[in-house]
Amino acid sequence: MRLRLDFAYDGTDFSGWAAQPGRRTVEGELTAGLARVLRADPAPRLTVAGRTDAGVHARGAVAHVDVEPHAWAALPGRSTRSPQQAAPIRLAGVLPDDIVVRSVRPAPPGFDARFSATSRHYRYLLCDSPHRLDPLRRREVVAHRRGLNVEAMDAAAGRLLGLRDFAAFCKRREGAGTVRTLLGYSWRRTGDLIEGLVDADAFCHSMVRSLVGAVIAVGEGRREVDWPLAVLTAGRRDPAVAVMPAHGLCLERVTYPPDDQLADRARQARAIRVLPGTPHHGADRV
């Protein structure tokens, strides 16, 4: 049976999501925790909606895992809780404090945490007055020592929306495409903080932090408002685009279609994506 997990983590002390030999990762800790409470050997394999890099946080992460029905049914032990009620409590007892599983429940038919998703929503936090930064938020806010024109950043960000090839803002990976639909990208000042919201159907490696770096150059006055769009149109990485620090970035939520559309969405997302009128070259998947 397939289970859906909704969880959050502080990415500070993790080497990212993906399991790596000799490194502490979110996937590694969560897999070990599930294996322990389900008494599963071998450990179950997780599929996550979005892999995060080292230091990136998540408040609304989603994953799925396939388990034996008898293991799920046995999870409450001698308690009177249902498996769905017992799962987060049991996991809280074995997971480290920087991972919290909010819910575990049977997934509807056709659900795939990765391919059924319609969008991923990220937030990036900056403070351009470091002397005013709350030290309790230093793990989630990037201190920026130059004043920023947030209105110019927002204007530059808005020019990047739509279905485009984001190769200029992605680290290349063999076999991975770079065509994405940027659904929303905006900046605003909220008190002492500057908040960037970035939404897309999917993201490629380092895309969000590069998008932030591009508009930071505009906010500092070093580049014109149209410069990030010119970089995007050029279609190649520009050394003038900084990949911003990871700890300012957080995966806020992942959205899915109604249950009766999950399987269709997963089939669509697995298909190769190209820009209209462009011959396809390799896979371009979520």
Side-chain angles (χ1 to χ4, degrees):
M1 63 181 297
R2 177 159 292 184
L3 304 176
R4 169 176 169 163
L5 289 77
D6 290 79
F7 59 102
Y9 52 87
D10 177 343
T12 305
D13 298 324
F14 290 108
S15 296
W17 161 263
Q20 304 168 58
R23 291 185 175 272
R24 184 173 186 261
T25 67
V26 181
E27 183 180 22
E29 295 284 0
L30 191 51
T31 297
L34 282 167
R36 186 170 175 183
V37 300
L38 293 170
R39 299 181 180 181
D41 186 15
R45 184 175 180 179
L46 286 158
T47 297
V48 72
R51 296 187 175 195
T52 52
D53 295 333
V56 176
H57 314 295
R59 185 172 283 108
V62 181
H64 78 247
V65 62
D66 296 331
V67 303
E68 294 295 336
H70 65 82
W72 174 245
L75 196 148
R78 296 179 180 178
S79 77
T80 58
R81 301 185 184 98
S82 68
Q84 188 165 318
Q85 293 170 328
I89 298 171
R90 293 285 307 278
L91 285 168
V94 300
L95 289 173
D97 292 341
D98 45 6
I99 304 178
V100 174
V101 175
R102 303 191 189 283
S103 70
V104 184
R105 60 187 187 273
F111 178 79
D112 185 297
R114 179 185 178 191
F115 289 113
S116 295
T118 53
S119 61
R120 283 90 170 160
H121 302 256
Y122 282 88
R123 181 177 67 165
Y124 199 92
L125 290 177
L126 292 160
C127 179
D128 62 350
S129 300
H131 63 286
R132 298 178 64 87
L133 177 58
D134 181 350
L136 299 182
R137 304 196 69 178
R138 69 191 185 281
R139 289 190 165 197
E140 63 169 344
V141 180
V142 172
H144 194 78
R145 301 195 179 279
R146 297 183 63 178
L148 295 170
N149 182 334
V150 178
E151 290 74 18
M153 291 167 60
D154 186 61
R159 287 162 164 77
L160 303 176
L161 301 182
L163 175 66
R164 300 176 183 271
D165 187 339
F166 285 90
F169 298 109
C170 299
K171 289 185 177 179
R172 285 287 187 177
R173 284 181 168 174
E174 188 66 30
T178 52
V179 175
R180 301 290 187 268
T181 302
L182 190 60
L183 301 167
Y185 188 17
S186 62
W187 287 90
R188 64 178 181 175
R189 193 178 289 275
T190 58
D192 293 332
L193 301 182
I194 298 171
E195 179 184 68
L197 300 176
V198 190
D199 310 331
D201 58 347
F203 292 93
C204 43
H205 190 210
S206 294
M207 178 174 160
V208 180
R209 290 192 286 145
S210 296
L211 287 170
V212 174
V215 300
I216 287 290
V218 175
E220 290 179 342
R222 295 185 289 109
R223 301 286 181 171
E224 297 298 322
V225 169
D226 286 330
W227 180 72
L229 179 59
V231 172
L232 174 67
T233 304
R236 60 183 181 275
R237 290 189 67 81
D238 189 318
V241 176
V243 179
M244 295 295 289
H247 70 276
L249 185 61
C250 181
L251 173 60
E252 293 291 330
R253 68 184 187 280
V254 182
T255 59
Y256 294 92
D259 289 356
D260 60 355
Q261 298 175 25
L262 289 167
D264 286 343
R265 169 59 187 167
R267 282 191 290 270
Q268 293 168 8
R270 286 186 172 92
I272 295 171
R273 286 182 292 172
V274 297
L275 295 176
T278 304
H280 75 241
H281 301 285
D284 184 11
R285 297 178 175 177
V286 174

